[in-house]
Amino acid sequence: MPLTTWIKAGTSATALVLATAGTASAAPVEQPDARAAVVTLRYDDSRAAGWEAAIAAGVASWNASVTNVKLVEAAPGGAAEIVIVATSGWPQATLGPVRPGRQVRVELGSQAVNDGYNKTRIAAHELGHSLGLPDTKPGPCSQLMSGSSAGTACTSAVPNATERSRVQSNYANALAASVVADGRTLVDAP
């Protein structure tokens, strides 16, 4: 085969490879999913008689407010990261953020209810501690973590933008393994 034929064949083959490569690179490239993985935390309210509706509403408020952590009721007798109990004292909770396989405790105290505080706000507030939020006392009703300092007329059980952002950050992929629960118990008496 003459040299000019080899050069033509080589040029054609190179053009074919380049054309194919160009076509392949023009195809859409899959990007990694930018959404954070959802952390599922189970709660056990089997020892919180009388608080079931408030707990369900508090859980629903958090689940509607954040996207990378989800609270679900534990199966009866199953493991739970958040153990919720009813007490006669003031509400209190272990400061998180709790991680799957770890455990925190929430005490929903009837003393606060007897003093006129809203049960759903109490439940959502105490769950906020489990998710890593400290108290922001004193504070307005618009801050869920202001707790009792917002007064007995406050019934808001919805976290504000700052509170939602902090929980999102507490459960972001990069921090999920490195941030550990504080372990302090926060008592929410006025």
Side-chain angles (χ1 to χ4, degrees):
M1 187 182 258
L3 181 59
T4 55
T5 307
W6 279 104
I7 293 173
K8 286 182 186 175
T11 304
S12 296
T14 303
L16 179 62
V17 169
L18 291 174
T20 305
T23 304
S25 65
V29 177
E30 281 191 44
Q31 297 294 326
D33 191 353
R35 293 175 286 159
V38 177
V39 175
T40 300
L41 299 173
R42 297 159 297 175
Y43 67 91
D44 174 7
D45 65 354
S46 63
R47 297 186 297 160
W51 286 85
E52 297 86 355
I55 294 167
V59 164
S61 178
W62 277 109
N63 285 343
S65 298
V66 293
T67 58
N68 62 356
V69 64
K70 181 175 175 145
L71 304 174
V72 298
E73 190 168 5
E81 286 79 21
I82 304 171
V83 176
I84 306 171
V85 298
T87 70
S88 59
W90 275 97
Q92 57 186 330
T94 310
L95 181 60
V98 66
R99 297 286 174 230
R102 306 278 181 149
Q103 194 172 78
V104 294
R105 180 178 170 98
V106 169
E107 296 183 9
L108 300 176
S110 62
Q111 187 172 349
V113 176
N114 295 341
D115 284 359
Y117 292 95
N118 179 271
K119 277 183 148 182
T120 300
R121 181 172 169 84
I122 293 168
H125 174 91
E126 299 306 326
L127 288 168
H129 288 318
S130 297
L131 299 174
L133 298 178
D135 288 316
T136 56
K137 294 179 180 180
C141 184
S142 61
Q143 291 177 343
L144 176 60
M145 300 313 294
S146 68
S148 60
S149 71
T152 56
C154 180
T155 61
S156 174
V158 178
N160 69 18
T162 301
E163 294 162 335
R164 291 189 304 269
S165 176
R166 285 186 182 155
V167 170
Q168 288 286 117
S169 178
N170 287 345
Y171 290 93
N173 285 341
L175 298 177
S178 63
V179 179
V180 293
D182 180 289
R184 289 181 292 152
T185 299
L186 303 177
V187 179
D188 289 305

